[in-house]
Amino acid sequence: MKVSFAGTTIPSDGALALGVAKGGKLGALAASVDKKSKGGVRRAIKAASRFEGDKGQSLEILAPSGTRLSRLILVGLGKPEDFDTRAAEVLGANVARRVSATGDTKVAIALDVTKGFKIDEDKLSARIAFGARLGSYRFDRYRTKEKPDKKPSLKQLTVLTAGNTSAQKRFAILDKLAESVSFTRDLVTEPPNVLFPKSLAAHAESLASLGVKVEVLGIAKLQKLGMGSLIGVAQGSSHEPYVVVMQWNGGKPKAPPVAFIGKGVTFDSGGLSLKPASGMEEMKFDMAGSAAVIGTMRALAARKAKVNAVGVVGLVENMPSANAQRPGDVVTSMSGQTIEVLNTDAEGRLVLADVLWYAKDRFKPVFMVDLATLTGAIIVALGHNQAGLFSNNDELATRLVSAGDAEGEKMWRMPLGEDYDKDIDSDIADMKNIGTGGKAGSIIGAQFLQRFVGDTPWAHLDIAGTAWLNKDNPTAPKGATGYGVRLLNRLVADHYEEK
Ligand code: BES
Ligand code: MN
Ligand code: ZN
């Protein structure tokens, strides 16, 4: 889909979508279509009777007379003062997807309201296009015979705005970000026979072309580093584990970096603590944390962010086999702490234990944020709208929450505390990898991770519920969302870049 920006003139053909503020008063473009059609637009609104420009409302008029437009879609904006960048994204996404199902190849979109917004019109217009881009994402690699009338028809989207030059500039930056989100979605969607630790590491290596320094650590190196906790998870799989270190040095030389850590379990069968068959296929997305970290590094490099950032991802496959780790095994992590593995399905924390320690030890980062599809329990607690946030640092937590709000990647802070921490003390080792009571599963997972971060400001995002959706969300079609890329890119842009 080609995206462009133009001034506010009514296009000669194709579909046209126009915003209408709460109250239902027509903007200049809608009024002019109304005039051409000799009052047809206002008559249609009257006939629809309930359309009042409320947020979420829409009204479609086919082939408005006096024009060669295929359709005019009036979209309710609600109160202009409440119409924010997120609302603009949702508007663009909804219009693009709707038109794409009609067979039309062209659409022009205009807010068509000029007063009352708290945000500049060029920003809102750029976000309309960005939303359309994100919402039009598809993964088509393995379709070989889709019927043409099932394919999205939209080829050209034009946003009409008086501030079209500056909107275009803003969009150029967002469009690059959307590419990194799509890159992450692609990785998460790839099937687990195609995407395994080595092939995922190769995708991370592709960032070298953007100037990212990429190191791929193989099994010999991991053994030498003493990553017994991560290696234990991988030992039942025929795929060897990898840790990939990505460095983007766009900041001052020697300035300590920010660090992003990702869980990359390319398939989580549960290991010998095998998962039930039903739904097991979903566990291909257990590498979504690592994909978000790789996508974030890509986004930072693509826009040459003025920051030093490192991304470290632990890539393993969790499988049962004669070589697999047993419930009851004790492993020694790189930190020296020993772990009694009581459930081989609580493997994400075992991977992250070594990767977090390694990142802290080697880079002494300003902060570490890890992303992981860590627990089913976070879905019970928060559903699919918000990730679980756990942090030992209020400033970092607050910054993450506001970056998430701004980008539509929300999170809810959950508690940490000594009482929870006690629950993972083991009878025979330093800790065990599951709690005693089976309650507060997400917090227990976070407590486990905290034992590997020392005093480094750290936040853990449990994205088990937000990385993958079973139904469409306007800017994230059903499937992989790419959760985390926009969030972390925003976090860096707002607080950690040299101005
Ligand atoms: N990858 C899963 C968590 C998960 C579940 C992610 C559903 C996405 C959707 C994780 O490795 C896991 O199996 N966690 C266990 C932990 C338990 C054994 C303590 C869980 O949540 O059941
Ligand atoms: Mn598991
Ligand atoms: Zn897992």
Side-chain angles (χ1 to χ4, degrees):
M1 183 176 74
K2 209 173 151 276
V3 174
S4 58
F5 293 80
T8 50
T9 43
I10 294 172
S12 58
D13 56 0
L16 175 62
L18 299 174
V20 177
K22 190 174 172 66
K25 192 169 168 282
L26 296 187
L29 291 177
S32 116
V33 179
D34 185 55
K35 205 169 158 199
K36 285 187 196 214
S37 66
K38 304 209 164 59
V41 175
R42 287 196 167 91
R43 276 200 305 279
I45 292 178
K46 210 165 165 217
S49 87
R50 284 188 178 168
F51 181 83
E52 285 171 351
D54 289 355
K55 197 174 170 183
Q57 283 189 322
S58 69
L59 174 67
E60 183 162 330
I61 305 166
L62 287 171
S65 63
T67 75
R68 284 169 46 226
L69 296 171
S70 61
R71 67 197 74 234
L72 172 66
I73 306 170
L74 299 177
V75 190
L77 306 179
K79 290 187 192 150
E81 65 262 36
D82 296 335
F83 192 81
D84 55 12
T85 51
R86 181 66 197 153
E89 289 170 13
V90 170
L91 168 72
N94 285 340
V95 168
R97 266 206 270 174
R98 179 164 175 171
V99 173
S100 245
T102 65
D104 274 356
T105 56
K106 281 200 291 190
V107 68
I109 311 180
L111 286 168
D112 205 24
V113 171
T114 47
K115 284 200 201 75
F117 294 123
K118 286 209 173 117
I119 299 162
D120 294 341
E121 193 184 315
D122 61 333
K123 272 193 194 163
L124 291 175
S125 299
R127 289 276 168 169
I128 289 176
F130 182 48
R133 186 66 98 208
L134 292 171
S136 305
Y137 171 80
R138 301 235 312 169
F139 185 85
D140 285 332
R141 193 160 300 155
Y142 302 105
R143 292 181 210 270
T144 66
K145 34 185 165 194
E146 194 178 31
K147 300 248 160 58
D149 65 347
K150 290 278 184 300
K151 288 191 180 146
S153 59
L154 193 58
K155 298 276 179 298
Q156 166 77 47
L157 179 141
T158 311
V159 183
L160 311 177
T161 166
N164 56 317
T165 5
S166 103
Q168 168 80 61
K169 271 191 201 138
R170 290 184 182 281
F171 175 70
I173 299 166
L174 292 172
D175 201 18
K176 279 195 181 176
L177 177 58
E179 265 181 34
S180 292
V181 174
S182 297
F183 173 80
T184 294
R185 289 177 179 175
D186 283 350
L187 294 177
V188 175
T189 312
E190 280 289 359
N193 60 329
V194 173
L195 198 98
F196 40 85
K198 191 172 185 165
S199 57
L200 182 49
H203 284 288
E205 274 186 304
S206 77
L207 302 195
S209 66
L210 293 168
V212 178
K213 190 176 150 205
V214 188
E215 295 160 75
V216 178
L217 318 184
I219 180 75
K221 178 73 182 173
L222 303 183
Q223 270 159 351
K224 210 161 155 199
L225 287 165
M227 292 196 182
S229 181
L230 180 147
I231 291 169
V233 176
Q235 84 191 27
S237 168
S238 57
H239 293 292
E240 284 182 358
Y242 290 89
V243 168
V244 182
V245 182
M246 294 156 278
Q247 289 176 261
W248 167 252
N249 292 317
K252 289 214 179 77
K254 303 242 162 80
V258 300
F260 303 116
I261 316 300
K263 168 178 173 182
V265 177
T266 61
F267 187 72
D268 179 14
S269 69
L272 285 177
S273 312
L274 194 64
K275 286 184 181 294
S278 154
M280 197 197 273
E281 72 284 353
E282 286 204 342
M283 283 303 110
K284 72 169 182 180
F285 82 80
D286 213 18
M287 36 58 72
S290 68
V293 168
I294 302 169
T296 300
M297 296 304 293
R298 187 186 186 284
L300 295 176
R303 67 177 181 82
K304 302 203 174 355
K306 292 193 175 58
V307 69
N308 295 336
V310 312
V312 190
V313 294
L315 311 181
V316 303
E317 186 184 51
N318 187 22
M319 293 295 258
S321 82
N323 299 321
Q325 161 160 276
R326 290 150 291 254
D329 282 3
V330 174
V331 294
T332 303
S333 66
M334 181 183 172
S335 71
Q337 301 177 91
T338 56
I339 304 161
E340 186 186 12
V341 179
L342 290 182
N343 187 319
T344 65
D345 196 13
E347 85 297 340
R349 61 200 74 181
L350 297 171
V351 172
L352 289 174
D354 279 337
V355 179
L356 282 165
W357 184 268
Y358 174 80
K360 165 185 88 81
D361 202 47
R362 174 169 169 196
F363 295 105
K364 318 259 175 317
V366 183
F367 67 71
M368 299 197 281
V369 176
D370 77 72
L371 291 92
T373 47
L374 204 72
T375 65
I378 203 67
I379 311 177
V380 176
L382 298 175
H384 297 280
N385 296 317
Q386 304 212 15
L389 165 66
F390 301 82
S391 183
N392 62 4
N393 185 286
D394 291 344
E395 185 185 62
L396 178 59
T398 310
R399 288 175 171 182
L400 278 164
V401 169
S402 28
D405 282 344
E407 295 289 340
E409 294 189 335
K410 293 193 179 211
M411 67 200 72
W412 191 256
R413 190 163 179 188
M414 306 279 285
L416 290 165
E418 267 173 46
D419 289 336
Y420 294 111
D421 183 73
K422 281 196 290 220
D423 209 35
I424 53 172
D425 287 337
S426 156
D427 293 337
I428 65 157
D430 295 333
M431 69 194 87
K432 54 190 181 185
N433 76 331
I434 53 171
T436 309
K439 304 273 170 64
S442 305
I443 304 175
I444 297 298
Q447 289 297 159
F448 184 95
L449 300 182
Q450 192 175 10
R451 291 196 183 196
F452 299 87
V453 302
D455 297 329
T456 310
W458 155 80
H460 156 59
L461 284 165
D462 193 334
I463 61 169
T466 52
W468 188 272
L469 300 178
N470 290 317
K471 65 174 207 283
D472 287 344
N473 145 325
T475 53
K478 151 177 163 191
T481 59
Y483 182 100
V485 176
R486 300 177 57 185
L487 166 74
L488 298 179
N489 176 64
R490 179 75 171 230
L491 175 75
V492 169
D494 284 353
H495 300 288
Y496 299 95
E497 277 187 73
E498 292 159 37
K499 289 284 156 1

